[in-house]
Amino acid sequence: FVALASGHVAVNTISVPGAMLATSTSTPAYSVPSMLTATVCGPSSRSRQPLIVLPDTVPESMLPLVGEAITQGLWGIENLSGIPGLVGATPIQNVGAYGTEVATRIISVETFDTEREIARVFSPEECSFGYRDSFFKSTEGKRFIITAVTYRLDEEAVADISYRDTSDYFNERHIEPTLRSVREAILEIRRGKF
């Protein structure tokens, strides 16, 4: 367990190969960490050992991160089920779907500054998130390679079914939104659209 400023937090780390692929612009090769790490944090209301996934067991896409969060019973990114793309790209685009944007879940974004050749950590405020936008899409922001993203997730049920499609799905079926049923609903809705 890791103590953050606001209290005790359970930390799950998922290391993902391919940090260089998480850049928002094409850059020459730099000496940056060889792993992109996504860390999910949630308040520790029950005893839980940190989950460490070996780099060779997790591809660089968001899909396994969302799946692992659901497997661990952590709420917050389940509405991103089925979203393709790299973990490191989520803050660049402020990826979102069905009422959830990563901007509401990101605690920090670790980067490598290709001009100064130093590491830098961005807070959510410094990321300047907007609708499908962030600081990393700006001219200045494109010099940063994202090497780690930390997400805040919850152990308590906080289903977001406010988006019309998800709300209709649960209302029509008269079922309660659980972590797994929200994931199934999102995937079914996505299949119907794409």
Side-chain angles (χ1 to χ4, degrees):
F1 293 97
V2 173
L4 295 183
S6 61
H8 295 284
V9 175
V11 176
N12 296 342
T13 300
I14 300 177
S15 297
V16 184
M20 290 301 292
L21 298 176
T23 180
S24 61
T25 183
S26 55
T27 57
Y30 289 96
S31 178
V32 297
S34 61
M35 294 295 145
L36 173 66
T37 304
T39 304
V40 293
C41 300
S44 179
S45 61
R46 62 181 187 252
S47 178
R48 176 192 303 249
Q49 291 296 323
L51 168 73
I52 306 297
V53 179
L54 298 176
D56 60 344
T57 64
V58 180
E60 57 207 22
S61 92
M62 241 335 247
L63 300 172
L65 176 65
V66 174
E68 196 56 49
I70 290 168
T71 298
Q72 292 296 314
L74 298 171
W75 292 79
I77 57 174
E78 62 281 352
N79 289 27
L80 302 179
S81 293
I83 297 290
L86 304 175
V87 171
T90 62
I92 295 169
Q93 181 72 12
N94 186 17
V95 170
Y98 303 100
T100 299
E101 286 186 334
V102 296
T104 64
R105 291 291 166 178
I106 288 178
I107 294 173
S108 65
V109 177
E110 295 177 36
T111 67
F112 178 77
D113 184 334
T114 60
E115 274 185 20
R116 296 182 179 161
E117 297 187 0
I118 59 170
R120 177 173 172 193
V121 179
F122 285 82
S123 69
E125 295 76 24
E126 292 171 312
C127 292
S128 299
F129 290 119
Y131 181 76
R132 303 300 171 262
D133 196 21
S134 76
F135 164 78
F136 302 107
K137 290 176 87 173
S138 71
T139 302
E140 183 184 353
K142 290 180 180 181
R143 76 176 202 237
F144 294 92
I145 297 172
I146 294 173
T147 58
V149 180
T150 302
Y151 298 91
R152 179 188 54 80
L153 301 180
D154 302 302
E155 290 180 315
E156 301 296 322
V158 287
D160 181 357
I161 58 167
S162 60
Y163 191 81
R164 182 177 176 198
D165 288 348
T166 52
S167 177
D168 289 350
Y169 180 95
F170 285 97
N171 289 333
E172 290 168 6
R173 288 162 181 78
H174 306 288
I175 57 175
E176 290 296 314
T178 65
L179 194 52
R180 292 197 188 279
S181 68
V182 170
R183 178 182 175 85
E184 291 167 11
I186 298 296
L187 291 172
E188 185 174 321
I189 292 165
R190 289 182 63 76
R191 279 191 298 273
K193 289 185 174 188
F194 304 106

